Amino acid sequence: MAAEEHVQHAAEHAEHAEQAMTPASYIGHHLTFWQHPVKPDGGFWTLNVDTLVTSTLLGVLVFGFMAWVARGATSGVPGRRQAFIEMCIEFVNDQVRGIFNKSFEFVAPLALTVFMWVLFMNAMDFLPIDVVAGAMHALGAPAFRPVPTSDVNATFALALSVWFLMIGFAIKAKGLGGFIHELYAAPFGAPKLTMNPLSWIGAPLLALANFLFQMIEYISKPLSHSLRLFGNMYAGEIIFLLLWLWAATGLMGTIFGAILGVGWAIFHILIVALQAFIFMMLTIVYISMAHEHH
């Protein structure tokens, strides 16, 4: 009996080991968040701790570094650190001036913040996921995903922040009454009541059509803003996982996986920078559109 139980346990162990090495289980393991439920039933009130920790840490490091360089800035020949920061600031300022020239003092720092923060959150995709997850597991984390922008909660939170700023700028530029009036007057024009009884039917229908089109625009902006960034970074994360998985299949897999991994990493540099740039440009465009009067 003991021998039979030993054989059965060995078979079960081999079966579990085989299942653990399947592509689905490997990718599923690395796509699992370190979650903490705020309420006992979890659900919506669940925090992705890895997203919060990584994004906060990157924010502190990136903007702390920029503040440190700014404090030591000189009017003479800049060093490499100062030259890099000045290049980033000038690049963002040029983009803002080309689109928006009304509240430059606020929008330019906002655009710089968005660009640098999203850029470095995207760049976490270059870290070897097995090493990062293994190190965090050794520290007690049950799971860990190091790329905050591959979490739709993070990208949607960023997009919603821009959305609220857009509405705030619209109310500031047009007044509360003007903002509400525009919801019912654009894009088909303001409804007018006349002595014609048909206008009593047409005016409410026109106002309703304007309102529905405005709601579609207001809802689509944060959705497209967040899902574009999330989709690109999530796809990049999946491709990296597939390459790491291929590299673990043997000598030839390691060779081809390393070659393809380097090639994809070089190409992914463009994606990382481009997605940060697009997110920044959409932020500027949305706030600029909020100042337009229809």
Side-chain angles (χ1 to χ4, degrees), residues 7 12 25 33 39 51 66 70 79 95 99 101 141 161 180 202 209 223:
V7 171
E12 291 177 354
S25 61
F33 288 105
K39 291 186 176 182
T51 298
M66 295 180 69
Q95 304 306 315
I99 300 175
N101 58 3
S161 301
I180 296 175
L223 287 176

Side-chain angles (χ1 to χ4, degrees), residues 119-158:
L119 176 65
F120 279 88
M121 285 194 290
N122 291 350
M124 294 297 290
D125 209 6
F126 295 119
L127 297 180
I129 184 66
D130 288 319
V131 176
V132 175
M136 294 305 299
H137 182 71
L139 294 175
F144 197 84
R145 291 181 66 179
V147 188
T149 45
S150 65
D151 181 1
V152 71
N153 299 284
T155 60
F156 199 66
L158 289 170

Side-chain angles (χ1 to χ4, degrees), residues 44-63:
F44 177 79
W45 301 104
T46 301
L47 300 177
N48 290 342
V49 180
D50 39 13
T51 298
L52 292 172
V53 169
T54 307
S55 57
T56 302
L57 183 61
L58 285 174
V60 171
L61 291 177
V62 172
F63 298 110

Side-chain angles (χ1 to χ4, degrees), residues 234-249:
Y234 183 80
E237 187 179 32
I238 293 293
I239 292 176
F240 271 124
L241 287 174
L242 291 173
L243 291 174
W244 302 149
L245 182 63
W246 192 10
T249 58

